[in-house]
């Protein structure tokens, strides 16, 4: 197996690299699209599964994938440990296919792994596999000339241009758009990120 992301190594340990606290954005998503029978969530780049498992605990039907075998192994273990069912598997954001549509599509900290040539097809796919009235949440790291590359930046990650993410959903209903600079301590070294976030709804035109 060729290792394309350092996360494969960082997820080897029994400790959870990202901890077990669910992402701070999830309650916003739950408010915008509350769980009801059969409501489906896709977590793209689920890491070690803390967010996917939290959504399963809330009652959603969760599908989750990540490029790392260790991340998926830990996602499945966490789901078993919490007594929830989840469909988690190894896949690549650049090439993934799914036969399903989802009420919520969620991807945090992962879209910068899309190769430039795959961006257009990826967003066309996301638009197709979102159910009518469904919600998309995506964030991405963006380049700022006054910020250094983070110390745990992966060789396949590419910074996006400020605002670029928003252009793919210009005709959807915006629930939230923002660009924030924040301090992070992942990898043990304090550093800053700039991140663009979009939360938007697929509405009939
Ligand atoms: C910053 S982490 C975010 C993980 C998770 N979303 C979270 O918040 O805990 C980025 C994730 O993207 C995954 N990743 C890297 N390249 C990928 C690819 N080509 N396809 C899918 N996931 C990928 C990494 O393995 C890692 O889990």
């Amino acid at each position: 197996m060729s290792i394309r992301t350092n996360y494969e190594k960082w997820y080897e340990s029994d400790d959870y690299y990202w901890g077990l606290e669910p992402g701070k954005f999830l309650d916003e998503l739950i408010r915008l699209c509350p769980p009801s029978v059969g409501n489906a969530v896709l977590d793209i780049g689920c890491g070690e599964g803390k967010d996917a498992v939290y959504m399963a605990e809330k009652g959603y039907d969760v599908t989750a994938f990540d490029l790392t075998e260790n991340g998926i192994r830990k996602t499945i273990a966490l789901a078993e440990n919490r007594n929830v069912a989840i469909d988690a598997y190894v896949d690549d954001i650049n090439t993934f296919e799914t036969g399903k549509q989802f009420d919520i599509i969620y991807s945090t900290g992962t879209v910068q792994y899309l190769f430039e040539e795959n961006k257009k097809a990826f967003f066309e796919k996301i638009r197709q596999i979102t159910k009518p009235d469904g919600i998309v949440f995506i964030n991405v790291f963006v380049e700022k000339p006054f910020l250094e590359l983070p110390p745990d930046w992966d060789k396949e990650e590419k910074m996006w241009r400020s605002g670029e993410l928003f252009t793919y959903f210009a005709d959807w209903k915006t629930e939230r758009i923002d660009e924030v600079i924040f301090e992070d301590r992942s990898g043990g070294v304090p550093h800053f990120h700039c991140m663009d976030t979009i939360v938007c709804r697929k509405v009939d035109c």
Side-chain angles (χ1 to χ4, degrees), residues 56-106:
E57 287 179 304
K58 291 287 174 192
Y60 297 95
D61 170 10
V62 177
T63 302
F65 72 82
D66 194 275
L67 192 63
T68 60
E69 293 188 1
N70 283 320
I72 293 305
R73 172 180 58 76
K74 289 165 88 175
T75 297
I76 292 169
L78 187 61
E80 282 172 4
N81 189 261
R82 302 262 180 90
N83 274 319
V84 288
I86 184 170
D87 183 15
Y89 50 87
V90 173
D91 212 338
D92 186 338
I93 190 172
N94 285 282
T95 51
F96 85 99
E97 294 292 342
T98 168
K100 275 180 80 170
Q101 276 198 314
F102 299 88
D103 299 277
I104 297 178
I105 297 184
Y106 171 74

Side-chain angles (χ1 to χ4, degrees), residues 4-5 7-8 11 18 43-51 65-68 71 91-94 106-110 112-115 141 154 156-157:
R4 283 179 35 201
T5 166
Y7 284 104
E8 194 65 86
Y11 292 165
W18 298 110
D43 184 351
I44 298 177
C46 64
E48 301 155 297
K50 61 178 173 40
D51 294 345
F65 72 82
D66 194 275
L67 192 63
T68 60
D91 212 338
D92 186 338
I93 190 172
N94 285 282
Y106 171 74
S107 185
T108 181
T110 304
Q112 72 278 0
Y113 285 96
L114 267 176
F115 299 144
F141 297 107
D154 231 347
E156 284 208 354
E157 288 180 282

Side-chain angles (χ1 to χ4, degrees), residues 4-204:
R4 283 179 35 201
T5 166
N6 291 331
Y7 284 104
E8 194 65 86
K9 182 102 198 122
W10 295 337
Y11 292 165
E12 255 173 15
S13 135
D14 286 343
D15 294 336
Y16 278 71
Y17 185 86
W18 298 110
L20 290 173
E21 219 22 56
K24 59 183 180 200
F25 314 110
L26 295 177
D27 289 334
E28 177 185 7
L29 292 185
I30 291 167
R31 182 178 55 76
L32 289 169
C33 182
S36 66
V37 177
N39 261 9
V41 173
L42 176 64
D43 184 351
I44 298 177
C46 64
E48 301 155 297
K50 61 178 173 40
D51 294 345
V53 169
Y54 179 76
M55 294 301 265
E57 287 179 304
K58 291 287 174 192
Y60 297 95
D61 170 10
V62 177
T63 302
F65 72 82
D66 194 275
L67 192 63
T68 60
E69 293 188 1
N70 283 320
I72 293 305
R73 172 180 58 76
K74 289 165 88 175
T75 297
I76 292 169
L78 187 61
E80 282 172 4
N81 189 261
R82 302 262 180 90
N83 274 319
V84 288
I86 184 170
D87 183 15
Y89 50 87
V90 173
D91 212 338
D92 186 338
I93 190 172
N94 285 282
T95 51
F96 85 99
E97 294 292 342
T98 168
K100 275 180 80 170
Q101 276 198 314
F102 299 88
D103 299 277
I104 297 178
I105 297 184
Y106 171 74
S107 185
T108 181
T110 304
V111 161
Q112 72 278 0
Y113 285 96
L114 267 176
F115 299 144
E116 188 65 35
E117 64 271 23
N118 295 333
K119 284 182 180 176
K120 188 165 175 277
F122 171 81
F123 284 101
E124 275 166 11
K125 194 180 306 173
I126 294 297
R127 292 168 64 97
Q128 278 166 14
I129 65 172
T130 307
K131 286 187 193 170
D133 210 37
I135 295 282
V136 167
F137 173 105
I138 296 178
N139 60 24
V140 69
F141 297 107
V142 300
E143 188 162 24
K144 291 286 171 186
F146 50 88
L147 292 183
E148 289 178 18
L149 269 190
D152 55 353
W153 196 243
D154 231 347
K155 55 186 182 302
E156 284 208 354
E157 288 180 282
K158 293 275 178 305
M159 287 280 177
W160 282 38
R161 293 188 313 281
S162 177
E164 179 184 355
L165 172 65
F166 310 145
T167 63
Y168 290 100
F169 296 99
D171 54 339
W172 284 28
K173 180 178 176 226
T174 305
E175 299 286 357
R176 179 163 70 85
I177 271 179
D178 59 40
E179 180 167 289
V180 173
I181 294 177
F182 62 97
E183 191 175 10
D184 186 20
R185 289 172 180 264
S186 63
V189 185
H191 55 276
F192 287 91
H193 291 290
C194 182
M195 180 163 258
D196 280 4
T197 299
I198 187 164
V199 187
C200 57
R201 191 182 293 275
K202 180 175 180 174
V203 287
D204 279 341

